[in-house]
Amino acid sequence: MKTLQRTLTIIKPDAVKKNAVGDIIEQFEKQGFRILAMKMLEISQHQAEQFYAVHASRPFYSSLTKFMSSGPIVALALEKENAIADLRKLMGATNPASAEEGTIRKKWASDIENNAIHGSDADDTARFELSFFFAGYELAQ
Ligand code: IDP
Ligand code: MG
């Protein structure tokens, strides 16, 4: 039996500014992810701090949360078998200098911070991140 899994992805402000939204969403669909919910929005630095609270002690926290609130983002709830790991693979390495050919970050990321896309990294973070951007009724399908 197939076990479907859900994950949260964000097309980051740098990728939205590069008009990469359509290309990235097309890659999700081509790789077999089903879009459960999607929204374009802007978040405040305070909201970005809540979202990235796990990184609060990292030296790049302030810069990262400023970047994430610097313009529109697109948040999507995706569903697929093995969605979390498969999305991380499609994204590529955090630092685009190490990202493999064919990954979203290889194609669209500018540097280790402006790296085009976010993806949940585990079951518990996926649950938290999905509920951060989407209410239960928006994911009820
Ligand atoms: P991930 O997005 O590949 O899961 P994380 O280590 O969780 O990478 O870091 C979250 C985000 O913080 C990265 O996507 C990137 O935007 C930013 N970031 C990570 N490491 C650095 C760094 O060394 N300098 C600046 N920004 C960083
Ligand atoms: Mg991460």
Side-chain angles (χ1 to χ4, degrees), residues 49-76:
E49 285 166 3
Q50 306 306 303
F51 181 78
Y52 277 117
V54 289
H55 292 314
S57 63
R58 308 287 283 277
F60 56 81
Y61 185 58
S62 164
S63 172
L64 168 64
T65 54
K66 200 167 164 187
F67 160 58
M68 289 301 289
S69 56
S70 67
I73 58 174
V74 181
L76 299 96

mmCIF file of all heavy atoms in Angstrom, residues 49-76:
data_model
loop_
_atom_site.group_PDB
_atom_site.id
_atom_site.type_symbol
_atom_site.label_atom_id
_atom_site.label_comp_id
_atom_site.label_asym_id
_atom_site.label_seq_id
_atom_site.Cartn_x
_atom_site.Cartn_y
_atom_site.Cartn_z
ATOM 1 N N GLU A 49 11.072 34.854 12.021
ATOM 2 C CA GLU A 49 11.788 34.383 13.221
ATOM 3 C C GLU A 49 11.051 33.211 13.876
ATOM 4 O O GLU A 49 11.676 32.265 14.356
ATOM 5 C CB GLU A 49 11.953 35.530 14.223
ATOM 6 C CG GLU A 49 13.014 36.532 13.804
ATOM 7 C CD GLU A 49 12.958 37.838 14.589
ATOM 8 O OE1 GLU A 49 12.113 37.961 15.511
ATOM 9 O OE2 GLU A 49 13.740 38.743 14.261
ATOM 10 N N GLN A 50 9.722 33.277 13.884
ATOM 11 C CA GLN A 50 8.951 32.168 14.461
ATOM 12 C C GLN A 50 9.118 30.909 13.596
ATOM 13 O O GLN A 50 9.309 29.808 14.104
ATOM 14 C CB GLN A 50 7.451 32.508 14.541
ATOM 15 C CG GLN A 50 7.114 33.803 15.264
ATOM 16 C CD GLN A 50 7.720 33.857 16.646
ATOM 17 O OE1 GLN A 50 7.480 32.984 17.469
ATOM 18 N NE2 GLN A 50 8.533 34.868 16.904
ATOM 19 N N PHE A 51 9.046 31.106 12.276
ATOM 20 C CA PHE A 51 9.155 29.969 11.363
ATOM 21 C C PHE A 51 10.517 29.286 11.490
ATOM 22 O O PHE A 51 10.616 28.055 11.477
ATOM 23 C CB PHE A 51 8.922 30.433 9.917
ATOM 24 C CG PHE A 51 8.986 29.318 8.913
ATOM 25 C CD1 PHE A 51 7.920 28.441 8.748
ATOM 26 C CD2 PHE A 51 10.127 29.120 8.150
ATOM 27 C CE1 PHE A 51 7.982 27.393 7.847
ATOM 28 C CE2 PHE A 51 10.203 28.067 7.248
ATOM 29 C CZ PHE A 51 9.128 27.205 7.089
ATOM 30 N N TYR A 52 11.587 30.103 11.594
ATOM 31 C CA TYR A 52 12.951 29.569 11.641
ATOM 32 C C TYR A 52 13.500 29.523 13.069
ATOM 33 O O TYR A 52 14.719 29.571 13.264
ATOM 34 C CB TYR A 52 13.879 30.419 10.768
ATOM 35 C CG TYR A 52 13.858 30.062 9.295
ATOM 36 C CD1 TYR A 52 13.424 30.975 8.329
ATOM 37 C CD2 TYR A 52 14.303 28.815 8.840
ATOM 38 C CE1 TYR A 52 13.424 30.660 6.971
ATOM 39 C CE2 TYR A 52 14.310 28.487 7.489
ATOM 40 C CZ TYR A 52 13.877 29.414 6.560
ATOM 41 O OH TYR A 52 13.894 29.092 5.220
ATOM 42 N N ALA A 53 12.609 29.381 14.070
ATOM 43 C CA ALA A 53 13.036 29.395 15.476
ATOM 44 C C ALA A 53 14.146 28.369 15.769
ATOM 45 O O ALA A 53 15.017 28.629 16.603
ATOM 46 C CB ALA A 53 11.841 29.144 16.389
ATOM 47 N N VAL A 54 14.161 27.245 15.047
ATOM 48 C CA VAL A 54 15.207 26.231 15.288
ATOM 49 C C VAL A 54 16.604 26.771 14.989
ATOM 50 O O VAL A 54 17.592 26.225 15.475
ATOM 51 C CB VAL A 54 15.015 24.929 14.453
ATOM 52 C CG1 VAL A 54 13.827 24.128 14.946
ATOM 53 C CG2 VAL A 54 14.909 25.231 12.967
ATOM 54 N N HIS A 55 16.668 27.832 14.186
ATOM 55 C CA HIS A 55 17.974 28.399 13.828
ATOM 56 C C HIS A 55 18.329 29.636 14.646
ATOM 57 O O HIS A 55 19.267 30.364 14.305
ATOM 58 C CB HIS A 55 18.003 28.767 12.335
ATOM 59 C CG HIS A 55 17.955 27.583 11.418
ATOM 60 N ND1 HIS A 55 18.734 26.463 11.603
ATOM 61 C CD2 HIS A 55 17.218 27.338 10.297
ATOM 62 C CE1 HIS A 55 18.481 25.587 10.640
ATOM 63 N NE2 HIS A 55 17.557 26.085 9.842
ATOM 64 N N ALA A 56 17.585 29.884 15.736
ATOM 65 C CA ALA A 56 17.747 31.143 16.494
ATOM 66 C C ALA A 56 19.180 31.401 16.961
ATOM 67 O O ALA A 56 19.592 32.559 17.052
ATOM 68 C CB ALA A 56 16.802 31.152 17.685
ATOM 69 N N SER A 57 19.922 30.344 17.235
ATOM 70 C CA SER A 57 21.279 30.551 17.753
ATOM 71 C C SER A 57 22.338 30.615 16.646
ATOM 72 O O SER A 57 23.524 30.802 16.927
ATOM 73 C CB SER A 57 21.626 29.434 18.737
ATOM 74 O OG SER A 57 21.616 28.206 18.032
ATOM 75 N N ARG A 58 21.919 30.453 15.404
ATOM 76 C CA ARG A 58 22.897 30.435 14.302
ATOM 77 C C ARG A 58 23.285 31.863 13.929
ATOM 78 O O ARG A 58 22.488 32.796 14.041
ATOM 79 C CB ARG A 58 22.303 29.735 13.065
ATOM 80 C CG ARG A 58 21.717 28.353 13.348
ATOM 81 C CD ARG A 58 22.779 27.294 13.590
ATOM 82 N NE ARG A 58 23.388 26.879 12.340
ATOM 83 C CZ ARG A 58 22.856 25.955 11.527
ATOM 84 N NH1 ARG A 58 21.702 25.382 11.820
ATOM 85 N NH2 ARG A 58 23.482 25.620 10.420
ATOM 86 N N PRO A 59 24.535 32.056 13.482
ATOM 87 C CA PRO A 59 25.007 33.404 13.153
ATOM 88 C C PRO A 59 24.223 34.065 12.012
ATOM 89 O O PRO A 59 24.175 35.288 11.925
ATOM 90 C CB PRO A 59 26.477 33.194 12.766
ATOM 91 C CG PRO A 59 26.624 31.745 12.481
ATOM 92 C CD PRO A 59 25.605 31.040 13.330
ATOM 93 N N PHE A 60 23.593 33.240 11.151
ATOM 94 C CA PHE A 60 22.894 33.805 9.993
ATOM 95 C C PHE A 60 21.405 34.066 10.252
ATOM 96 O O PHE A 60 20.680 34.470 9.351
ATOM 97 C CB PHE A 60 23.064 32.887 8.766
ATOM 98 C CG PHE A 60 22.620 31.461 8.989
ATOM 99 C CD1 PHE A 60 21.281 31.099 8.906
ATOM 100 C CD2 PHE A 60 23.552 30.463 9.268
ATOM 101 C CE1 PHE A 60 20.875 29.785 9.106
ATOM 102 C CE2 PHE A 60 23.152 29.140 9.466
ATOM 103 C CZ PHE A 60 21.807 28.804 9.390
ATOM 104 N N TYR A 61 20.940 33.860 11.497
ATOM 105 C CA TYR A 61 19.499 33.954 11.816
ATOM 106 C C TYR A 61 18.897 35.314 11.445
ATOM 107 O O TYR A 61 17.845 35.388 10.810
ATOM 108 C CB TYR A 61 19.328 33.692 13.312
ATOM 109 C CG TYR A 61 17.901 33.638 13.816
ATOM 110 C CD1 TYR A 61 16.974 32.735 13.310
ATOM 111 C CD2 TYR A 61 17.490 34.495 14.840
ATOM 112 C CE1 TYR A 61 15.678 32.676 13.804
ATOM 113 C CE2 TYR A 61 16.199 34.436 15.343
ATOM 114 C CZ TYR A 61 15.304 33.529 14.825
ATOM 115 O OH TYR A 61 14.025 33.474 15.328
ATOM 116 N N SER A 62 19.588 36.383 11.848
ATOM 117 C CA SER A 62 19.059 37.725 11.606
ATOM 118 C C SER A 62 19.000 38.031 10.108
ATOM 119 O O SER A 62 17.998 38.526 9.582
ATOM 120 C CB SER A 62 19.944 38.727 12.354
ATOM 121 O OG SER A 62 19.722 39.987 11.877
ATOM 122 N N SER A 63 20.078 37.704 9.421
ATOM 123 C CA SER A 63 20.142 37.933 7.984
ATOM 124 C C SER A 63 19.109 37.072 7.242
ATOM 125 O O SER A 63 18.407 37.555 6.334
ATOM 126 C CB SER A 63 21.569 37.609 7.529
ATOM 127 O OG SER A 63 21.659 37.633 6.149
ATOM 128 N N LEU A 64 18.974 35.814 7.645
ATOM 129 C CA LEU A 64 18.015 34.896 7.012
ATOM 130 C C LEU A 64 16.576 35.399 7.175
ATOM 131 O O LEU A 64 15.795 35.409 6.207
ATOM 132 C CB LEU A 64 18.150 33.500 7.641
ATOM 133 C CG LEU A 64 17.044 32.487 7.319
ATOM 134 C CD1 LEU A 64 17.018 32.142 5.831
ATOM 135 C CD2 LEU A 64 17.221 31.202 8.143
ATOM 136 N N THR A 65 16.233 35.839 8.379
ATOM 137 C CA THR A 65 14.845 36.250 8.619
ATOM 138 C C THR A 65 14.539 37.586 7.939
ATOM 139 O O THR A 65 13.415 37.823 7.512
ATOM 140 C CB THR A 65 14.554 36.313 10.130
ATOM 141 O OG1 THR A 65 15.513 37.146 10.781
ATOM 142 C CG2 THR A 65 14.607 34.918 10.740
ATOM 143 N N LYS A 66 15.572 38.420 7.790
ATOM 144 C CA LYS A 66 15.409 39.668 7.034
ATOM 145 C C LYS A 66 15.174 39.345 5.556
ATOM 146 O O LYS A 66 14.297 39.912 4.905
ATOM 147 C CB LYS A 66 16.684 40.512 7.205
ATOM 148 C CG LYS A 66 16.513 41.959 6.913
ATOM 149 C CD LYS A 66 17.724 42.699 7.436
ATOM 150 C CE LYS A 66 17.790 44.088 6.814
ATOM 151 N NZ LYS A 66 19.025 44.777 7.157
ATOM 152 N N PHE A 67 15.967 38.433 5.035
ATOM 153 C CA PHE A 67 15.817 37.990 3.642
ATOM 154 C C PHE A 67 14.427 37.403 3.394
ATOM 155 O O PHE A 67 13.755 37.743 2.412
ATOM 156 C CB PHE A 67 16.916 36.964 3.323
ATOM 157 C CG PHE A 67 16.638 36.084 2.134
ATOM 158 C CD1 PHE A 67 16.401 36.627 0.876
ATOM 159 C CD2 PHE A 67 16.615 34.691 2.263
ATOM 160 C CE1 PHE A 67 16.137 35.808 -0.225
ATOM 161 C CE2 PHE A 67 16.349 33.870 1.176
ATOM 162 C CZ PHE A 67 16.115 34.432 -0.065
ATOM 163 N N MET A 68 13.960 36.552 4.302
ATOM 164 C CA MET A 68 12.676 35.870 4.096
ATOM 165 C C MET A 68 11.484 36.836 4.169
ATOM 166 O O MET A 68 10.382 36.499 3.734
ATOM 167 C CB MET A 68 12.501 34.732 5.100
ATOM 168 C CG MET A 68 13.412 33.545 4.827
ATOM 169 S SD MET A 68 13.193 32.783 3.194
ATOM 170 C CE MET A 68 11.600 31.998 3.395
ATOM 171 N N SER A 69 11.733 38.030 4.741
ATOM 172 C CA SER A 69 10.658 39.030 4.821
ATOM 173 C C SER A 69 10.887 40.167 3.823
ATOM 174 O O SER A 69 10.244 41.207 3.908
ATOM 175 C CB SER A 69 10.561 39.565 6.252
ATOM 176 O OG SER A 69 11.803 40.090 6.674
ATOM 177 N N SER A 70 11.790 39.965 2.871
ATOM 178 C CA SER A 70 12.167 41.047 1.951
ATOM 179 C C SER A 70 11.273 41.149 0.714
ATOM 180 O O SER A 70 11.474 42.035 -0.114
ATOM 181 C CB SER A 70 13.619 40.851 1.505
ATOM 182 O OG SER A 70 13.741 39.682 0.704
ATOM 183 N N GLY A 71 10.301 40.271 0.577
ATOM 184 C CA GLY A 71 9.427 40.323 -0.598
ATOM 185 C C GLY A 71 8.486 39.138 -0.587
ATOM 186 O O GLY A 71 8.522 38.311 0.323
ATOM 187 N N PRO A 72 7.630 39.054 -1.616
ATOM 188 C CA PRO A 72 6.660 37.962 -1.667
ATOM 189 C C PRO A 72 7.338 36.584 -1.715
ATOM 190 O O PRO A 72 8.418 36.427 -2.293
ATOM 191 C CB PRO A 72 5.889 38.214 -2.957
ATOM 192 C CG PRO A 72 6.147 39.628 -3.324
ATOM 193 C CD PRO A 72 7.482 39.978 -2.754
ATOM 194 N N ILE A 73 6.661 35.621 -1.093
ATOM 195 C CA ILE A 73 7.064 34.216 -1.147
ATOM 196 C C ILE A 73 5.840 33.407 -1.593
ATOM 197 O O ILE A 73 4.715 33.916 -1.541
ATOM 198 C CB ILE A 73 7.550 33.698 0.227
ATOM 199 C CG1 ILE A 73 6.450 33.871 1.296
ATOM 200 C CG2 ILE A 73 8.828 34.406 0.661
ATOM 201 C CD1 ILE A 73 6.793 33.258 2.651
ATOM 202 N N VAL A 74 6.073 32.170 -2.013
ATOM 203 C CA VAL A 74 4.957 31.281 -2.329
ATOM 204 C C VAL A 74 5.115 30.025 -1.467
ATOM 205 O O VAL A 74 6.139 29.344 -1.538
ATOM 206 C CB VAL A 74 4.920 30.907 -3.826
ATOM 207 C CG1 VAL A 74 3.722 30.005 -4.119
ATOM 208 C CG2 VAL A 74 4.869 32.156 -4.701
ATOM 209 N N ALA A 75 4.112 29.769 -0.629
ATOM 210 C CA ALA A 75 4.120 28.582 0.237
ATOM 211 C C ALA A 75 3.206 27.532 -0.380
ATOM 212 O O ALA A 75 2.097 27.853 -0.825
ATOM 213 C CB ALA A 75 3.632 28.945 1.634
ATOM 214 N N LEU A 76 3.671 26.281 -0.425
ATOM 215 C CA LEU A 76 2.858 25.192 -0.972
ATOM 216 C C LEU A 76 2.893 23.984 -0.039
ATOM 217 O O LEU A 76 3.949 23.648 0.515
ATOM 218 C CB LEU A 76 3.381 24.711 -2.331
ATOM 219 C CG LEU A 76 3.417 25.709 -3.494
ATOM 220 C CD1 LEU A 76 4.800 26.323 -3.602
ATOM 221 C CD2 LEU A 76 3.064 25.025 -4.806
#
